Amino acid sequence: MEVIKTIKEMKEFSSQARRAGKTIAFVPTMGFFHDGHLSLMREGRRRCDLLIISLFVNPTQFGPNEDFKNYPRDFERDRKMAEEVGADVLFAPEASDMYPSNHQTIVRVEKVTQNLCGRSRPVHFQGVATVVLMLFEIVTPHAAIFGEKDYQQLVTIQQMVRDLHMRVEVVGMPTVREEDGLAMSSRNRYLLLEERKAALSLYRSLQKAKELLQKGERKAERILHEMKEIFQSEPLVKIDYVQICDAYSLQDVNQIEGDVVVALAAYLGKTRLIDNLIFHAL
Ligand code: AMP
């Protein structure tokens, strides 16, 4: 596996690969890999001739009071894991190379970024869309693999790719969980023991929602009420939002039909976790 640190070299590599007729799968990440990341990498490995992984803690997708500085980083561990999964390139650019001092362009995807995480993280999705567009331009992937764990991010990227007629297939992969159900996240490592225990209520509430949906409940309000009862028994959990939205527009629904996402975000101490359930109502 090659480690590439400059945009120039990455562009040269991808141009050459394309000229040689190779297909490129791409997995953008912020590092501190876990099995969720690895499942996207394996999918990329399976789909294309070459697998390129980017590792870049993107400053523009963090708000001023968020955890950019403390975001977990361990380059050597990530390098080994990417190599073991069979990646061809680990692309780890410098922020000063990605955003030179005269950088002026931002990509804003409108409607799908307004609800859910967009409410409490107003600059987040423009940071994500901008960096992903730049990475796509540098890496020129045929397929890019994203996790459904960050469901609003996946929908935002899909919207951007459609809107801008980009030549990349966006692939979503299911959320990988710890044995007890907690969604894997690089941020889980911040959790204190008691917070880790309380965090399980996020998964439990989604399981409750699933059970109700499977029994035929179609009133969003009733499902949300039962989910909130589960969090109320956990004083360490401070809910940011729990919502049920159309899976494509990400607008709230009252009456559930078609594809929906039950999405939530919560603070455990300073750590903000998200999780969701995608449900296809018949
Ligand atoms: P991050 O490094 O947190 O930016 O995540 C990089 C990619 O991994 C994104 O597409 C995430 O949605 C995906 N991802 C993060 N956690 C999980 C998980 N538990 N299961 C599947 N994919 C995940």
Side-chain angles (χ1 to χ4, degrees):
M1 185 185 75
E2 222 178 301
V3 174
I4 297 184
K5 295 210 163 173
T6 69
I7 294 172
K8 184 167 174 286
E9 279 170 277
M10 190 65 250
K11 282 180 169 173
E12 279 164 10
F13 181 98
S14 50
S15 301
Q16 207 176 1
R18 284 231 169 205
R19 273 199 302 276
K22 304 267 192 220
T23 56
I24 301 174
F26 177 46
V27 180
T29 80
M30 299 204 301
F32 214 72
F33 297 151
H34 50 65
D35 283 349
H37 295 112
L38 297 186
S39 79
L40 312 190
M41 296 175 196
R42 290 192 189 104
E43 179 63 15
R45 183 65 289 168
R46 199 182 66 71
R47 280 179 177 257
C48 292
D49 300 324
L50 295 173
L51 171 62
I52 301 180
I53 298 163
S54 66
L55 194 175
F56 180 58
V57 184
N58 174 37
T60 67
Q61 71 190 65
F62 290 81
N65 299 317
E66 294 180 1
D67 56 348
F68 174 68
K69 277 219 176 83
N70 299 326
Y71 197 82
R73 292 166 171 89
D74 189 340
F75 183 80
E76 205 32 48
R77 175 176 170 276
D78 287 345
R79 193 191 60 72
K80 282 200 194 106
M81 288 170 84
E83 185 147 45
E84 274 164 24
V85 109
D88 296 283
V89 174
L90 182 63
F91 175 48
E94 294 291 337
S96 56
D97 205 8
M98 291 291 275
Y99 298 103
S101 57
N102 195 30
H103 177 96
Q104 303 183 22
T105 304
I106 55 171
V107 181
R108 237 181 43 228
V109 180
E110 301 282 354
K111 292 183 201 151
V112 295
T113 62
Q114 302 303 306
N115 201 0
L116 303 172
C117 287
R119 289 187 191 279
S120 40
R121 306 188 73 190
V123 299
H124 176 66
F125 289 109
Q126 70 180 43
V128 168
T130 304
V131 80
V132 170
L133 180 74
M134 294 199 287
L135 291 167
F136 282 0
E137 191 56 31
I138 297 164
V139 173
T140 65
H142 296 79
I145 329 290
F146 291 85
E148 287 172 354
K149 149 94 180 350
D150 299 85
Y151 187 74
Q152 193 172 14
Q153 165 172 284
L154 173 62
V155 170
T156 301
I157 300 302
Q158 282 167 334
Q159 187 70 44
M160 174 181 81
V161 164
R162 263 199 310 278
D163 288 349
L164 301 180
H165 308 288
M166 297 171 75
R167 299 180 201 219
V168 53
E169 181 188 355
V170 176
V171 179
M173 292 292 289
T175 300
V176 177
R177 297 176 179 282
E178 301 288 354
E179 241 167 60
D180 62 3
L182 182 71
M184 289 195 181
S185 164
S186 308
R187 290 187 169 102
N188 289 351
R189 71 119 43 177
Y190 298 138
L191 298 173
L192 306 174
L193 194 63
E194 289 307 307
E195 293 170 343
R196 171 67 182 77
K197 278 188 203 152
L200 202 54
S201 64
L202 308 186
Y203 177 65
R204 284 212 318 272
S205 76
L206 291 171
Q207 288 298 97
K208 182 65 174 181
K210 187 173 177 184
E211 181 191 312
L212 293 168
L213 285 161
Q214 281 172 343
K215 277 192 195 148
E217 179 61 76
R218 292 295 178 262
K219 290 256 179 283
E221 199 183 315
R222 288 203 196 128
I223 296 169
L224 294 172
H225 176 76
E226 299 240 0
M227 291 177 78
K228 284 173 191 161
E229 287 212 325
I230 294 179
F231 305 128
Q232 273 154 13
S233 64
E234 289 289 356
L236 292 180
V237 176
K238 301 273 174 285
I239 285 295
D240 181 5
Y241 66 76
V242 200
Q243 290 170 245
I244 303 181
C245 296
D246 176 89
Y248 308 103
S249 69
L250 302 189
Q251 299 301 304
D252 288 40
V253 295
N254 298 319
Q255 183 70 24
I256 291 159
E257 53 182 29
D259 297 341
V260 294
V261 58
V262 184
L264 57 83
Y267 287 94
L268 285 113
K270 285 185 186 154
T271 308
R272 186 173 180 279
L273 298 181
I274 57 173
D275 201 350
N276 67 73
L277 160 78
I278 301 162
F279 187 80
H280 311 282
L282 298 174

